[in-house]
């Protein structure tokens, strides 16, 4: 199956419709359009605290916020010029956008968090090893980090996606399908992973340790990055500070995020403990796994063409701040 970043979920379509036909951001425009997911912890912290409203005000800029169900529709919105900046998406997602011809700039990266995503089975499941996944129906979000984790885990067991029955599901739909037994295994990331572990009888078949490093990226449209490096400089600096604060103050961070995410603080704290939240500049040294991911998706015929995953521009923090 090939992919061209087509939206398949009603929620994602609704989000794009709500965004409307927004014009391209140019020098002097007063709004930076920011897309994020529920799992975009650091951006959610900044949004909840009103930090970017304060820090961007001296530049005459204010943020507008747009929530998405997963990374794939988020980067499609960026590609369609309906967003200027994308909060963190899993390392798999940019390769789909690049294959669709998106003009993206890598702004920042979070250091690896391999245990923050996992393959779950029910506690009483007969599935004991990765090899036991053969012939099973497995739910996961298309193009998410969970998708690559599944590909890499199957490869480790001598299998491929052709050996399982894939079910492309958002985290919410995946949880519902998993709990009613409609799928045999579910591949998901935090905080959805932690919520399932604490609220349901589940077992981790494998997480990303030794399989997929799970790095998350912050991106901007190249048009926006060229026009407003000053704005990106402020956003980068505040993300780095937020990451340090979340790790240094786990209980306070959990208390802040719990009502926003609609889950209890203990679950948030468990999820946050598995994420690095170490924001650093994107560089060729740290994004090297991108090509491996792109090649794996191309081999599975999930990308329409082979791509150079390292060809997109890299933002240099401080250059325009």
């Amino acid at each position: 199956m090939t992919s061209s970043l087509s939206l398949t979920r009603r929620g994602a379509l609704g989000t794009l419709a709500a965004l409307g036909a927004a014009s391209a951001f140019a020098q002097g425009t007063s709004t930076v359009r920011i897309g994020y997911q529920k799992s975009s912890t650091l951006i959610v912290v900044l949004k909840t605290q009103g930090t970017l409203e304060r820090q961007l005000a001296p530049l005459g800029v204010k943020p507008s916020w747009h929530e998405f169900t997963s990374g794939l529709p988020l980067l499609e919105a960026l590609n369609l010029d309906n967003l200027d900046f994308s909060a963190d998406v899993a390392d798999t997602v940019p390769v789909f956008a690049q294959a669709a011809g998106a003009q993206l700039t890598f702004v920042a990266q979070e250091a690896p968090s391999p245990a923050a995503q996992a393959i779950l089975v029910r506690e009483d499941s007969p599935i004991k090893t990765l090899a036991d996944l053969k012939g099973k129906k497995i739910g996961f979000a298309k193009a998410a980090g969970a998708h690559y984790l599944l590909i890499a885990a199957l490869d480790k067991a001598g299998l491929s996606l052709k050996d399982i029955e894939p079910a492309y599901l958002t985290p919410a739909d995946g949880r519902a399908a998993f709990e009613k037994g409609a799928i045999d295994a579910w591949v998901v990331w935090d905080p959805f992973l932690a919520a399932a572990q604490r609220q349901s009888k589940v077992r981790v078949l494998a997480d990303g340790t030794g399989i997929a490093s799970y790095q998350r990226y912050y991106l901007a449209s190249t048009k926006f990055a060229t026009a407003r490096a000053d704005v990106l400089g402020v956003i980068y600096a505040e993300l780095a500070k937020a990451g340090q604060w979340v790790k240094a103050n786990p209980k306070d961070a959990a208390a802040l995020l719990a009502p926003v995410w609609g889950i209890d603080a203990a679950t948030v704290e468990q999820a946050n403990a598995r994420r690095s939240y170490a924001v650093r500049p994107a560089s060729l040294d740290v994004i090297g796994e991108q090509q491996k991911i792109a090649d794996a998706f191309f081999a599975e015929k999930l990308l329409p063409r082979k791509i150079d995953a390292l060809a997109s521009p890299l933002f240099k923090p401080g250059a325009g701040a």
Side-chain angles (χ1 to χ4, degrees):
M1 180 184 298
T2 60
S3 170
S4 58
L5 278 178
S6 60
L7 290 173
T8 58
R9 301 301 303 167
R10 181 179 300 175
L13 286 168
T15 302
L16 284 179
L19 289 174
S23 61
F25 190 102
Q27 187 77 26
T29 301
S30 62
T31 301
V32 53
R33 299 163 297 170
I34 299 175
Y36 67 100
Q37 306 171 63
K38 179 174 284 191
S39 57
S40 300
T41 307
L42 303 186
I43 276 289
V44 172
V45 168
L46 297 180
K47 179 179 183 292
T48 304
Q49 295 180 328
T51 304
L52 292 183
E53 281 79 359
R54 294 190 299 272
Q55 297 302 320
L56 291 173
L59 299 179
V61 174
K62 62 181 180 180
S64 66
W65 304 97
H66 308 279
E67 184 175 349
F68 289 76
T69 58
S70 61
L72 187 61
L74 201 169
L75 285 200
E76 180 173 64
L78 197 69
N79 185 29
L80 294 175
D81 197 28
N82 285 317
L83 292 175
D84 304 305
F85 179 81
S86 165
D88 55 311
V89 296
D91 41 17
T92 56
V93 184
V95 303
F96 281 79
Q98 290 167 318
Q103 300 300 303
L104 304 175
T105 292
F106 285 84
V107 176
Q109 177 212 54
E110 286 182 17
S113 305
Q117 57 177 357
I119 303 171
L120 292 179
V121 295
R122 285 175 290 280
E123 191 175 67
D124 59 355
S125 171
I127 299 172
K128 304 297 182 184
T129 69
L130 292 173
D132 294 336
L133 293 173
K134 185 173 183 178
K136 299 299 189 292
K137 188 173 185 179
I138 304 175
F140 54 93
K142 189 174 186 178
H147 195 163
Y148 178 66
L149 172 59
L150 178 60
I151 290 174
L154 290 172
D155 182 68
K156 185 177 180 180
L159 303 173
S160 73
L161 288 179
K162 298 180 182 66
D163 295 305
I164 61 103
E165 182 182 350
Y168 295 132
L169 300 168
T170 65
D173 290 342
R175 173 81 180 262
F178 183 66
E179 292 189 341
K180 70 180 182 182
I183 53 177
D184 301 297
W186 181 35
V187 197
V188 73
W189 61 94
D190 278 321
F192 311 105
L193 170 60
Q197 286 180 293
R198 294 183 65 86
Q199 298 165 7
S200 303
K201 293 182 178 180
V202 302
R203 174 164 42 87
V204 172
L205 185 67
D207 63 23
T209 304
I211 302 175
S213 63
Y214 189 47
Q215 303 175 87
R216 295 182 70 90
Y217 290 95
Y218 299 82
L219 302 106
S221 72
T222 297
K223 181 190 298 184
F224 179 80
T226 300
R228 296 306 301 261
D230 56 342
V231 173
L232 289 184
V234 170
I235 294 174
Y236 175 89
E238 295 305 325
L239 286 168
K241 291 176 188 175
Q244 294 165 3
W245 178 78
V246 169
K247 296 307 284 186
N249 303 275
K251 293 193 180 300
D252 290 342
L256 176 75
L257 292 164
V260 179
W261 285 353
I263 54 181
D264 64 278
T267 300
V268 177
E269 191 171 351
Q270 178 176 326
N272 285 348
R274 290 190 287 235
R275 287 275 295 276
S276 74
Y277 296 128
V279 176
R280 58 190 185 181
S283 70
L284 292 180
D285 290 339
V286 300
I287 68 173
E289 191 179 17
Q290 291 300 102
Q291 191 62 54
K292 181 180 177 182
I293 292 169
D295 291 344
F297 278 111
F298 181 73
E300 290 285 355
K301 297 182 171 54
L302 292 164
L303 290 182
R305 61 185 176 89
K306 194 173 180 65
I307 64 165
D308 179 357
L310 308 183
S312 293
L314 308 177
F315 176 72
K316 303 297 183 184

